[in-house]
Amino acid sequence: MPSIHYRTIFLNFLKLGCLAFGGPAAHLVFFHQTFVKQLNWLDDQQYVQLVALAQILPGPTSSQVGLAIGYVKKGYWGAILAWLGFTLPSALLMTLVALLGKQFSPLLSSAFFHSIQLIVLAVVTWAFWQMLRSFCTKLWQYILMLCSTLFIYTVSLPMNQIIVIFIAALLGIFFAQKISPTEENKVENSSLTDAISSTKRSYAYLWLVLFILPFFIFPVMDWLHSSVFTQSVESFYRTASLVFGGGHIILPFLHQDFVATGLLSAEKFDLGYAFSQLMPGPLFSFASYIGALTPLTPFPVLNACIATLAIFTPSFLLIFGTLPYWSWLMNQTYIRHAVVGINAAVVGLLLCMVIQMAQHYIVQLTDLLFVAVVIGLLKTKLPVWLCLIGSCLGYQLILTFL
């Protein structure tokens, strides 16, 4: 196969970044159709291996698959250009939403914001239901999910979500011992590992060292001089480093760090999250919106760039540090089952947020009925943007005539 130009990588991912609506599951279908079926950059086995690796790593699955494709084809710069092409459209749009929101949010009625809150509640509830069906298949996973919900709901600690994830990982490892060895599939070889030079494999562990370092550096910086900048960047980095199971899971983490601390109002947070559902590309671009509204520096566009880089940096470090060791990682039972436990726990985090949002947002029977209608629309094959915009306008009309 002839060498692929950097420009070709960027343009193909930019096209997907403009057209790939529907969330991570839909993105992976787009990637397969484009890079396996149409361009033949990968074969089916290699693509499945990339998806499997991304699923055991924290962070945005589809974005990590995309930058891994760029990495396999053209090294580090290929990964950067693949990520930039896929992320740029949604990041720009979310930054624009934030800047326009500053200008026009005073003109929006309280009824409009209430409708947005109910739509966010419906989207999060639907995401919770989908993740519950995917990640909780055994009794211990349901129990872990409910215990995680109860702990987060009742215990108010700055690190409560990290505590839950750590304990869930240990429980996942413990219950892995209960699974019969016949259920474990060993990976014999990896064509991906063969495609990566031995030079990159020899120092890939350094990327993992860089991934871990910020967890020690940020607390020291915060102790020496606490500021909105360091706290916000640390929040974005930590969130992306700990979340498994899709973009919706960043919501409880970012809500705790930006809304509960007063850096961002709940109304603006919900408005941005609602708009992020209408965008193509990765849901993690929600960070661009939050960054533009957070006083990291005097320049909102620069703030959006900083937030976007902070939330995606862990993905680069993890892919660069783990892809050369793909076969070894996929044969580690403890790693895979720690992720199973973490996935069950983060479903519990999402359930806790559903409960808390429902307590604040449901004020009358029509609100509950509206949420049910939006969830029903999301279950159909209608485009998400049509479901959300149509339901919002419809509810505004209903409230006007009631």
Side-chain angles (χ1 to χ4, degrees):
M1 179 183 295
S3 177
I4 299 171
H5 198 278
Y6 289 119
R7 181 178 63 253
T8 304
I9 292 177
F10 174 75
L11 291 177
N12 275 285
F13 276 97
L14 180 64
K15 178 181 177 182
L16 288 169
C18 294
L19 300 176
F21 293 88
H27 298 166
L28 295 179
V29 174
F30 282 113
F31 285 172
H32 184 269
Q33 185 67 29
T34 301
F35 300 113
V36 178
K37 297 298 185 183
Q38 296 177 5
L39 300 176
N40 295 315
W41 287 6
L42 305 167
D43 57 34
D44 282 304
Q45 181 189 11
Q46 290 174 322
Y47 183 74
V48 169
Q49 290 169 357
L50 288 182
V51 173
L53 176 63
Q55 288 176 333
I56 70 167
L57 296 177
T61 300
S62 58
S63 292
Q64 289 176 163
V65 170
L67 67 91
I69 292 173
Y71 177 66
V72 169
K73 302 313 294 182
K74 292 293 286 186
Y76 299 122
W77 278 109
I80 292 170
L81 290 172
W83 168 80
L84 185 62
F86 187 60
T87 308
L88 190 60
S90 58
L92 288 175
L93 288 170
M94 290 305 298
T95 302
L96 182 61
V97 168
L99 297 178
L100 292 177
K102 279 186 175 181
Q103 301 295 323
F104 296 106
S105 58
L107 304 178
L108 300 176
S109 66
S110 59
F112 174 80
F113 279 110
H114 184 56
S115 300
I116 292 296
Q117 290 174 331
L118 295 177
I119 286 175
V120 170
L121 174 58
V123 171
V124 176
T125 303
W126 174 236
F128 159 73
W129 175 246
Q130 289 180 306
M131 295 179 68
L132 178 68
R133 293 168 60 190
S134 298
F135 296 146
C136 295
T137 58
K138 296 179 174 62
L139 179 60
W140 71 270
Q141 292 171 314
Y142 282 100
I143 294 174
L144 176 57
M145 183 269 295
L146 292 174
C147 289
S148 300
T149 303
L150 183 63
F151 180 82
I152 295 295
Y153 188 82
T154 57
V155 178
S156 179
L157 291 173
M159 306 290 284
N160 57 2
Q161 294 172 335
I162 297 177
I163 294 171
V164 166
I165 288 177
F166 179 75
I167 295 174
L170 295 179
L171 290 175
I173 293 172
F174 172 78
F175 283 104
Q177 307 303 317
K178 308 298 183 182
I179 297 177
S180 170
T182 58
E183 295 183 39
E184 300 295 338
N185 298 316
K186 293 292 182 181
V187 176
E188 299 297 334
N189 55 66
S190 170
S191 57
L192 282 176
T193 304
D194 296 337
I196 297 172
S197 69
S198 59
T199 304
K200 289 178 180 177
R201 284 197 293 272
S202 64
Y203 59 81
Y205 70 91
L206 294 176
W207 293 108
L208 298 179
V209 173
L210 291 175
F211 169 76
I212 295 171
L213 277 179
F215 290 97
F216 298 94
I217 294 174
F218 280 121
V220 173
M221 292 176 62
D222 192 50
W223 178 70
L224 292 174
H225 178 66
S226 180
S227 67
V228 172
F229 183 91
T230 56
Q231 290 175 359
S232 300
V233 172
E234 187 272 338
S235 171
F236 289 124
Y237 188 91
R238 170 173 41 82
T239 296
S241 301
L242 297 177
V243 297
F244 294 80
H248 295 286
I249 293 301
I250 66 174
L251 200 62
F253 287 86
L254 296 180
H255 191 278
Q256 176 174 276
D257 291 337
F258 289 93
V259 178
T261 58
L263 286 174
L264 194 64
S265 68
E267 291 79 9
K268 290 182 179 178
F269 185 90
D270 291 335
L271 180 64
Y273 187 72
F275 271 99
S276 70
Q277 306 302 310
L278 310 177
M279 302 296 170
L283 185 59
F284 271 50
S285 295
F286 181 41
S288 307
Y289 172 90
I290 295 178
L293 295 177
T294 305
L296 307 179
T297 73
F299 310 104
V301 175
L302 177 60
N303 297 342
C305 293
I306 293 170
T308 306
L309 290 174
I311 205 166
F312 281 103
T313 294
S315 296
F316 283 96
L317 300 179
L318 287 170
I319 289 295
F320 294 164
T322 60
L323 190 53
Y325 308 127
W326 186 91
S327 296
W328 180 86
L329 282 169
M330 297 307 294
N331 281 324
Q332 304 308 303
T333 302
Y334 290 160
I335 292 176
R336 287 184 282 123
H337 286 280
V339 173
V340 171
I342 291 171
N343 281 339
V346 295
V347 175
L349 302 188
L350 210 55
L351 175 59
C352 180
M353 186 154 198
V354 168
I355 295 171
Q356 292 172 333
M357 291 171 69
Q359 288 178 323
H360 289 93
Y361 299 165
I362 302 293
V363 296
Q364 55 189 355
L365 180 60
T366 54
D367 292 342
L368 184 61
L369 294 175
F370 174 66
V371 170
V373 168
V374 175
I375 294 173
L377 290 172
L378 292 173
K379 292 175 64 176
T380 67
K381 295 183 179 181
L382 292 172
V384 173
W385 65 268
L386 181 61
C387 296
L388 300 187
I389 294 176
S391 58
C392 182
L393 293 176
Y395 197 55
Q396 287 294 300
L397 291 174
I398 291 173
L399 293 178
T400 300
F401 292 104
L402 280 180

